Amino acid sequence: MKKLYRSCRFLGAMLLVTALGCGPSRYSVSALAVSPLSLMVSTKSDRTLYVVLDPAKVPTEMTVLVNDRDRGVKLTEVQEFVSRDLKKAFSTYFDDVQVVSPDQSRAQKKPHVVVDVKIERVEVTILGGGLGSAALNWGMGMRASESKDYLYAFAGESTSTSTFNLDQLFRAMFEKAIGEMLQAYSDKKVHEEVLSLP
C-alpha cells in the first residue's frame, strides 16, 4: 500500500512539473469551480455595489511565473475572477451587485458603493517532492460614491495550499484570496460602516 502511495505521489509530481516546465500551456479561470466560504450577515446593504472591471488593472490574460521564471504558462479569462467570483462573494452583503466598466461606474448618479480591483502577479512555486503552490498578488478598495477615500482597502499575496494538481492550485489560490479579503472585511466591521451610510 505504501509503495502504491509513493508511486501515486511520484506520478502526481511528474504531472505538475511536466505541465509547468515543458513549453507553453494555458489555463482558464472560467473552467475553475471557485467556491470560497462566505460569512453570513443579517442585513444586506440596499445600496448598489458596482465592482469596476478595468482591463488596465485586471487583464484578460496573464503570464504565470514558475519559480520566478516565465516558462510560457498563461492564465486566461482572468476577468472571471471579478465578474463571477467577486460578484458572488459580495452578493452576501449587498442586495444588488453589478460589474461595470470605469465609465459606467462614473455615470451612476444615485448614491452607491464602488469596488476597484487590481491583479498584479500570479506565480506557481514548485516545492520539494514535486508539490506546488500558487500565489496571487492582488488588491481591492471599497468606497462610497460620494467620497474619493476608501473606507476599506485590502492588498496581499494569497497563497494556495500545496498539491500536485494545477487546476486545484489555481482554484485554491482564488478561494484563499476571496476568503482572506472577506475575513478582513468582517474583522474591521466594514459592513457596519456601509450600512450606516445615508
Side-chain angles (χ1 to χ4, degrees):
M1 192 68 178
K2 289 183 178 179
K3 185 175 181 181
L4 176 61
Y5 174 72
R6 287 195 296 268
S7 297
C8 290
R9 280 180 61 92
F10 176 75
L11 178 60
M14 291 306 297
L15 287 173
L16 179 63
V17 172
T18 300
L20 293 175
C22 295
S25 52
R26 301 168 70 83
Y27 299 88
S28 170
V29 176
S30 66
L32 304 176
V34 178
S35 300
L37 296 174
S38 60
L39 304 175
M40 295 182 64
V41 296
S42 58
T43 306
K44 291 186 177 185
S45 173
D46 58 5
R47 282 195 174 207
T48 298
L49 174 67
Y50 292 103
V51 183
V52 180
L53 180 51
D54 185 345
K57 296 179 180 179
V58 183
T60 57
E61 182 176 295
M62 295 186 69
T63 295
V64 178
L65 298 178
V66 180
N67 287 357
D68 207 32
R69 292 178 56 191
D70 183 355
R71 298 178 183 267
V73 181
K74 300 291 184 183
L75 197 61
T76 65
E77 299 177 282
V78 178
Q79 293 178 350
E80 283 286 296
F81 173 65
V82 176
S83 62
R84 180 193 63 190
D85 302 327
L86 285 182
K87 179 180 179 180
K88 180 180 178 181
F90 281 119
S91 294
T92 302
Y93 301 90
F94 294 85
D95 280 328
D96 185 18
V97 180
Q98 299 183 32
V99 179
V100 298
S101 68
D103 289 341
Q104 289 173 315
S105 173
R106 288 189 287 268
Q108 307 302 319
K109 302 301 181 185
K110 185 178 178 180
H112 55 276
V113 176
V114 178
V115 164
D116 297 311
V117 185
K118 64 176 180 178
I119 297 179
E120 296 181 333
R121 178 184 172 102
V122 178
E123 181 169 7
V124 169
T125 300
I126 299 176
L127 308 170
L131 283 168
S133 65
L136 176 71
N137 195 309
W138 77 296
M140 57 78 63
M142 176 184 288
R143 62 178 176 83
S145 58
E146 307 94 305
S147 174
K148 293 183 179 180
D149 297 323
Y150 289 125
L151 58 89
Y152 173 58
F154 175 88
E157 183 174 273
S158 301
T159 304
S160 73
T161 52
S162 302
T163 183
F164 298 119
N165 186 289
L166 198 55
D167 287 339
Q168 289 178 7
L169 283 184
F170 289 133
R171 185 185 72 193
M173 175 188 74
F174 287 120
E175 290 176 346
K176 185 75 173 293
I178 294 174
E180 289 176 343
M181 182 273 293
L182 290 181
Q183 187 62 59
Y185 183 85
S186 175
D187 291 345
K188 295 179 180 180
K189 302 186 183 303
V190 181
H191 194 58
E192 285 85 342
E193 291 186 55
V194 172
L195 293 176
S196 70
L197 293 171

